[in-house]
Amino acid sequence: MESEDTMNKLKPCPFCGKEIDTEKNVYIPERDWAPSFYDPDSGGNPIAIHCECGLTFCTDTWDWKEAVEIWNKRANKEDTKC
């Protein structure tokens, strides 16, 4: 069974393999959103993960554990039919 730390850790970028710096490359609404004149009370956009290679991945959730699960999901080679 996976530990809590492992379950909350982002896997490397699926395109370039770089580690994701959660302090500078992840938008977390509860940490990064601030009210503005145009968006005074929405709470911000869903969690988004950005990689230095240019990949921007919107998880479509505000829950960190769910966002990590979505990002860490990888297709099995057997499942891809390209």
Side-chain angles (χ1 to χ4, degrees):
M1 182 157 195
E2 291 181 284
S3 72
E4 186 75 22
D5 288 341
T6 305
M7 292 177 4
N8 288 321
K9 185 174 185 331
L10 295 172
K11 287 184 179 180
C13 176
F15 292 103
C16 71
K18 289 185 181 179
E19 293 293 322
I20 303 297
D21 182 346
T22 56
E23 292 301 314
K24 83 178 184 185
N25 293 0
V26 177
Y27 168 80
I28 301 173
E30 53 197 31
R31 178 189 72 191
D32 302 323
W33 179 82
S36 69
F37 178 77
Y38 297 103
D39 190 11
D41 60 0
S42 75
N45 294 321
I47 295 171
I49 301 168
H50 311 278
C51 182
E52 293 175 14
C53 72
L55 171 72
T56 298
F57 184 79
C58 181
T59 62
D60 207 26
T61 184
W62 285 262
D63 179 79
W64 177 250
K65 286 182 182 180
E66 188 177 358
V68 170
E69 186 178 309
I70 292 166
W71 170 264
N72 287 346
K73 185 175 183 177
R74 301 291 195 261
N76 294 330
K77 289 183 180 181
E78 302 85 46
D79 294 342
T80 58
K81 296 176 182 164
C82 296

